[in-house]
Amino acid sequence: MTEPTAKPSVKSSNFPDASQDISASAHKSSKATNKVNAENKQSELNIQQEKSTQTGVVTALNKAELLALFVLPTADDSLAQNNSLNIYTTNQTLTNQIPTTADSENSVATQRVALYQAQHARTQQLYLASAATRPTYLVQTLKTQFAEHQQYLLAQQLDKRGLIDTDVIERLWQQLHVVDDIIEDIVRHMPAQQPAGWQLTTQDGSNPLCLATIGKLKHNKPIFDQGSLNSYVLSHFGVSSFTYDRGYYIGHVVGYLFSCYFFAHLSISYGVTALGEDVVSDYDYASLETPHMVRLLQGLDGYCKKRIYQLAVICARLSVFASDKRIEKMLIAEVNDFDKKLQQQHLDVLLLQGLMPDSNDSTPLF
């Protein structure tokens, strides 16, 4: 097994000796110029990709450009500064295009299709890339931008009483490259299939899968494309998004199976229905009823299902939902940080003596 690719190093700029104001001004000017150049280059790259897709030819990207398609603008600075494109990628363009709550449903549908096309093109670039070009263990490089990792770090900082098994979760994050290994194994074993669409809903209308959000949300917790581990995983099998109170997925049936295993492991009540033919317009997918879904699942061998289950369990253990439950446990512990029964007994004794609780004043209450 090859070793995970190390994060690109950053060469610091050597400024000449001058006042701090001049240096800061020069740094800001340089940074702004780099950003503009990066956006111009990325715009040209997007246009080339769109033309190539229309003509049926995919433009090959180098490793830095390929990595740029997955990294968010808010990701680790060492990644953002090293890339000649400054890592301001398609994700930034999509982020700027996400409509506000005042936008029409028609606009939301348009943005959803734009997101799906970008997700599909990015995954196509990844799998058509040569072994030398494709980033090794990409998931390990991207983990700092995942909402799951950020929530884990928050839980770790809050755990002053040692209530959560930090070592086990930390070990799982350190071994995150296993996710890429399992995905690669699943892709080798899953049968060819026309993309199918379905809707995912949970009891409270939340987004436990942390799918990329588009348009209005019932719970105001937006997730950028590739801003979560589950978004990264599901993008290998299809395209997905979340709007208002439900998730949308179009792709291979293994994505459906992954979602079911994920919800079941976390004991989350959920529902899955076929995505109607007109829900996502201008994007090719099959709207399949339950009998057809059963046949697709029957086409998967046992080994493939087991690997999908393993992948779902890893993602469930690292999920924002699981971290939130750990934080809730800490909240309960803070509320119950003393022996309540003993305190009640102490209170009763003080009241019988006619004393104010925890007061040295001997004046009777009555």
Side-chain angles (χ1 to χ4, degrees):
M1 179 182 295
T2 56
E3 292 296 326
T5 301
K7 291 187 177 182
S9 59
V10 182
K11 295 182 180 179
S12 60
S13 300
N14 296 321
F15 292 98
D17 293 336
S19 66
Q20 293 181 355
D21 292 339
I22 295 176
S23 298
S25 177
H27 179 65
K28 289 180 180 179
S29 177
S30 176
K31 194 172 184 179
T33 303
N34 290 338
K35 181 176 180 180
V36 172
N37 293 337
E39 291 176 346
N40 291 336
K41 291 180 181 179
Q42 183 60 44
S43 178
E44 293 175 0
L45 178 62
N46 292 340
I47 294 173
Q48 291 176 1
Q49 289 181 352
E50 185 176 353
K51 290 181 178 179
S52 299
T53 302
Q54 294 174 354
T55 58
V57 179
V58 179
T59 304
L61 305 178
N62 60 40
K63 182 173 288 189
E65 291 170 338
L66 193 59
L67 180 61
L69 296 177
F70 291 85
V71 181
L72 294 176
T74 55
D76 187 67
D77 289 338
S78 63
L79 286 173
Q81 296 174 14
N82 182 74
N83 191 350
S84 61
L85 296 177
N86 207 28
I87 310 302
Y88 283 83
T89 66
T90 306
N91 293 317
Q92 186 185 39
T93 304
L94 291 172
T95 300
N96 295 333
Q97 293 175 346
I98 293 177
T100 62
T101 55
D103 290 335
S104 65
E105 288 297 325
N106 192 28
S107 176
V108 172
T110 301
Q111 298 307 321
R112 185 182 295 123
V113 173
L115 174 65
Y116 289 176
Q117 290 172 342
Q119 290 175 335
H120 176 77
R122 179 181 54 229
T123 307
Q124 187 180 31
Q125 288 282 2
L126 180 66
Y127 280 95
L128 292 179
S130 63
T133 304
R134 185 185 301 182
T136 308
Y137 292 136
L138 178 60
V139 68
Q140 191 69 267
T141 305
L142 301 178
K143 76 174 182 180
T144 55
Q145 75 186 29
F146 293 152
E148 294 89 345
H149 189 257
Q150 295 166 9
Q151 195 71 357
Y152 159 70
L153 293 178
L154 175 61
Q156 188 182 47
Q157 294 170 0
L158 292 173
D159 189 26
K160 304 299 183 182
R161 300 177 182 272
L163 298 176
I164 63 176
D165 195 346
T166 307
D167 293 339
V168 173
I169 306 300
E170 178 63 28
R171 191 179 307 115
L172 198 53
W173 279 114
Q174 291 175 355
Q175 298 175 341
L176 195 62
H177 59 272
V178 173
V179 168
D180 276 346
D181 288 334
I182 296 177
I183 289 175
E184 185 178 354
D185 199 17
I186 292 173
V187 171
R188 283 199 303 264
H189 286 85
M190 66 186 194
Q193 177 193 111
Q194 181 184 0
W198 56 85
Q199 297 181 31
L200 302 161
T201 55
T202 56
Q203 191 171 14
D204 62 350
S206 62
N207 183 19
L209 275 170
C210 289
L211 302 178
T213 51
I214 293 292
K216 297 182 293 185
L217 297 176
K218 186 175 182 179
H219 299 275
N220 191 24
K221 291 184 178 180
I223 301 292
F224 294 128
D225 183 25
Q226 294 300 292
S228 74
L229 176 59
N230 285 341
S231 176
Y232 170 84
V233 169
L234 287 174
S235 69
H236 285 74
F237 309 127
V239 295
S240 60
S241 67
F242 187 89
T243 304
Y244 186 62
D245 63 350
R246 68 195 62 196
Y248 299 84
Y249 182 85
I250 298 176
H252 201 280
V253 71
V254 298
Y256 167 88
L257 204 55
F258 171 88
S259 301
C260 293
Y261 288 149
F262 177 88
F263 289 133
H265 184 78
L266 295 172
S267 300
I268 299 175
S269 300
Y270 69 98
V272 183
T273 56
L275 192 63
E277 295 180 358
D278 300 327
V279 175
V280 181
S281 58
D282 301 324
Y283 195 87
D284 186 27
Y285 67 94
S287 180
L288 303 180
E289 296 300 332
T290 303
H292 295 91
M293 291 297 293
V294 171
R295 288 190 177 277
L296 290 179
L297 290 174
Q298 289 173 343
L300 295 176
D301 59 29
Y303 177 80
C304 190
K305 290 181 179 179
K306 290 176 183 177
R307 295 298 269 172
I308 297 167
Y309 179 75
Q310 292 170 358
L311 184 61
V313 169
I314 291 174
C315 292
R317 289 176 178 175
L318 299 178
S319 65
V320 170
F321 184 88
S323 291
D324 286 344
K325 290 299 180 184
R326 298 182 189 108
I327 294 175
E328 288 178 10
K329 185 178 180 181
M330 298 176 204
L331 178 63
I332 295 172
E334 291 300 326
V335 173
N336 302 321
D337 66 340
F338 54 81
D339 190 331
K340 289 184 171 60
K341 186 175 182 180
L342 180 61
Q343 289 300 315
Q344 289 181 37
Q345 294 173 352
H346 178 60
L347 176 62
D348 291 339
V349 170
L350 291 175
L351 292 175
L352 285 173
Q353 295 175 354
L355 301 176
M356 285 290 290
D358 293 332
S359 173
N360 293 325
D361 187 1
S362 59
T363 305
L365 293 174
F366 306 102

